[in-house]
Amino acid sequence: MAIKLSANYSKKLGLPQYSSHSFSASVEIELTDISQVQAEVQQLYALLQHAVDQEIQHPGFMPASNGNSPGNGRAQPQHNGNGTHGGYTPQPAADRWNCTEGQRGFILRILNENQIEKQEAEDLSQQLFGTGVKQLNKMQASQLIEDLLVKAGKPATRQTRWRPQPTTSQAA
Amino acid sequence: MNTLAEAPPPEARSEKDIIAGLQEKISASRLSLFLQCRLKFYFRYVLRLPKPKTPSLHLGSAVHTVLKTWNKARWLQQPLSLKAVHQTYLKAWADTTEGPVQWEPGEEEADKTTGWRLCDTYLRESHVPADLKPDAVEVPVEADLTSHGLPRLIGVLDLVQQRQIIDYKTASSTPNPDKAAHSNEIQTSSYSELYRHNTGAIETGVQLHHLVKLKNPKVVITTLPPMRPPQQTRLFKQMEAYLDGLQRQHFVPSPGMQCLSCEFFNECRRWH
């Protein structure tokens, strides 16, 4: 008999002028074995927390500090300052990368140092993963880095990636 | 000026520094070797004693290169002809950048033929449908396990397809599925951990594709379910033992049947 596991993660953050916004995400999965519960709960918690944290950074419409609505209707990202949560600096969605900062920096450095157009990397990402560079997860970004290095004529092989170097010691 | 991926000239490092580095990063092969024989681990990863590449390792590398190239080509929807695959194999076979191979007289040609027949058999039997798009091909990944009090885990995934992790192996005898699952558990659990950290998803399973070097080559596929919590616990405990052993520097030999094929047999006999 299948066992259903439901998980929900919710977060509420304070905003200026005593306002707040919250977001939650839920997921339901089926398990074949009750012994899987602990690991699945741990995994789902991490997944949902990450997903909610990614999205909740974009508060959308917020009342202006004078209590009036901003005329253009767009979000005015600003620090909360009311101490209800750690201050965060929301990034515009267009500037967010899903991969790590290190991977982002490395991709940009490969492009910069080898005169590879950003569009080339974007095209390669679309061809391989059907999505843009900024949307790549860590594994996909790692794959793209490998391919960009090949394009730059500097492929990292298994052997060179962790090539041992000599030591100062001698065998007994 | 291009500075990317240009390795600095190798510098001699002290044992202390090397051990510190080994405590910061761990791979399935390092962990497996450490648990198999600490002295062998010491010779290979700390002292880094140079040894000629074994014929079976050379054959395995050439086969891996062919499968990587083939998977990459079909991913880019530029499938390779059999002739192109063969040329890739010949080029990989001639590559000795990892150092010379210690061949017995007449052994190289026989192994070269065997390696090609393995590739040919694998591709002809279509164990991986040519039109199925991979998620990753020989991708290096790492996972920061500091929240578990453990080092960074590193590894290379041969192939990921439909969220299934596939690992290629060349073997001289037909593997038993249960024994293969057990003897490769450190590697399969490590790959599951890496996959989860790098994708935020749970793998659908792991497959070991054994290419068996028989007179009539054959492919044996062992399909394993996703890593279960007890397996993750085992892996983490093994990593803890690794860290503890490195800290204590207990690099002692583990004599047994496996020593007959150990490249450090002579050094081991001199150890005291």
Side-chain angles (χ1 to χ4, degrees):
Chain A
M1 188 187 79
I3 302 154
K4 280 191 178 173
L5 173 65
S6 299
N8 173 61
Y9 183 88
S10 176
K11 185 169 271 186
K12 186 176 184 178
L13 297 177
L15 291 174
Q17 299 303 307
Y18 309 103
S19 61
S20 65
H21 77 147
S22 63
F23 182 59
S24 69
S26 304
V27 69
E28 188 176 272
I29 61 167
E30 282 194 1
L31 305 178
T32 52
D33 185 344
I34 194 81
S35 68
Q36 298 171 319
V37 169
Q38 193 184 343
E40 291 291 351
V41 165
Q42 193 179 26
Q43 185 79 11
L44 290 173
Y45 182 82
L47 279 174
L48 291 173
Q49 185 181 60
H50 178 73
V52 169
D53 285 351
Q54 284 284 304
E55 300 313 317
I56 206 166
Q57 295 176 53
H58 311 285
F61 168 80
M62 285 196 297
S65 55
N66 60 5
N68 299 324
S69 304
N72 60 7
R74 275 191 234 150
Q76 305 290 311
Q78 49 192 284
H79 287 290
N80 172 4
N82 65 7
T84 56
H85 66 94
Y88 63 91
T89 310
Q91 277 184 305
D95 287 343
R96 277 190 302 147
W97 290 53
N98 274 339
C99 62
T100 66
E101 273 301 303
Q103 288 177 314
R104 175 178 177 267
F106 196 27
I107 288 168
L108 294 173
R109 195 154 65 90
I110 296 169
L111 300 185
N112 184 39
E113 291 188 4
N114 296 278
Q115 291 79 50
I116 299 173
E117 293 290 326
K118 281 186 179 176
Q119 192 54 47
E120 264 188 87
E122 194 64 27
D123 292 346
L124 184 57
S125 178
Q126 288 288 351
Q127 184 183 17
L128 293 174
F129 309 108
T131 189
V133 175
K134 291 178 183 176
Q135 284 74 48
L136 299 180
N137 64 33
K138 287 186 273 185
M139 184 176 81
Q140 292 167 330
S142 198
Q143 184 83 62
L144 184 75
I145 286 167
E146 292 289 293
D147 285 30
L148 288 173
L149 286 171
V150 170
K151 205 180 261 283
K154 296 163 182 171
T157 62
R158 270 181 195 255
Q159 300 78 43
T160 57
R161 200 175 284 123
W162 301 302
R163 181 182 287 162
Q165 294 178 357
T167 69
T168 50
S169 309
Q170 295 300 314
Chain B
M1 187 184 80
N2 288 346
T3 55
L4 202 66
E6 286 173 8
E11 285 174 25
R13 295 168 61 202
S14 70
E15 262 188 49
K16 192 181 165 190
D17 287 346
I18 289 169
I19 290 171
L22 290 166
Q23 287 171 309
E24 288 167 13
K25 269 187 188 176
I26 189 168
S27 68
S29 53
R30 287 179 196 177
L31 180 57
S32 298
L33 182 56
F34 181 84
L35 296 171
Q36 180 196 115
C37 177
R38 295 176 181 206
L39 186 60
K40 188 174 181 180
F41 175 91
Y42 176 72
F43 287 147
R44 182 176 293 172
Y45 290 111
V46 182
L47 288 189
R48 297 170 177 179
L49 300 182
K51 290 287 169 181
K53 199 177 176 185
T54 64
S56 63
L57 186 62
H58 184 72
L59 187 150
S61 298
V63 170
H64 263 88
T65 301
V66 166
L67 296 176
K68 174 193 173 179
T69 310
W70 182 77
N71 282 320
K72 208 63 207 282
R74 67 185 180 84
W75 193 357
L76 297 169
Q77 296 177 320
Q78 298 161 350
L80 297 175
S81 65
L82 192 62
K83 188 181 174 186
V85 174
H86 189 241
Q87 282 170 338
T88 303
Y89 177 73
L90 294 178
K91 192 178 168 192
W93 190 268
D95 182 2
T96 53
T97 49
E98 290 175 76
V101 185
Q102 208 168 26
W103 301 106
E104 295 293 329
E107 188 182 23
E108 183 175 2
E109 272 314 301
D111 275 5
K112 192 174 173 181
T113 304
T114 302
W116 169 245
R117 288 175 69 209
L118 283 178
C119 296
D120 185 43
T121 302
Y122 186 84
L123 299 183
R124 259 189 310 104
E125 292 181 1
S126 302
H127 290 286
V128 177
D131 56 350
L132 206 58
K133 214 174 177 182
D135 302 335
V137 172
E138 204 163 296
V139 62
V141 278
E142 60 178 62
D144 186 352
L145 301 179
T146 47
S147 60
H148 298 280
L150 296 168
R152 266 192 302 160
L153 176 65
I154 57 173
V156 179
L157 307 181
D158 282 346
L159 175 65
V160 182
Q161 199 149 270
Q162 295 185 309
R163 287 174 53 195
Q164 187 167 55
I165 302 162
I166 296 172
D167 192 63
Y168 293 122
K169 299 193 172 300
T170 50
S172 50
S173 60
T174 305
N176 167 293
D178 290 335
K179 285 181 181 167
H182 178 75
S183 59
N184 291 286
E185 191 184 53
I186 287 176
Q187 190 182 24
T188 55
S189 295
S190 296
Y191 286 177
S192 294
E193 195 64 35
L194 286 164
Y195 178 82
R196 294 175 189 191
H197 270 261
N198 282 273
T199 64
I202 296 176
E203 73 284 1
T204 53
V206 181
Q207 275 193 347
L208 300 172
H209 288 206
H210 280 94
L211 285 70
V212 192
K213 298 180 275 186
L214 301 171
K215 206 170 205 174
N216 293 311
K218 67 173 178 180
V219 177
V220 177
I221 296 179
T222 308
T223 304
L224 306 168
M227 176 175 63
R228 291 176 294 108
Q231 291 176 302
Q232 188 187 44
T233 304
R234 277 161 74 100
L235 178 69
F236 286 179
K237 284 183 174 177
Q238 286 160 331
M239 286 185 186
E240 281 170 359
Y242 167 93
L243 287 178
D244 190 47
L246 283 182
Q247 193 62 37
R248 294 170 189 269
Q249 298 194 31
H250 285 176
F251 300 118
V252 294
S254 304
M257 290 297 288
Q258 71 280 3
C259 301
L260 300 175
S261 58
C262 179
E263 67 264 38
F264 301 112
F265 184 85
N266 294 330
E267 290 84 352
C268 180
R269 295 300 297 155
R270 290 197 294 269
W271 181 87
H272 54 80

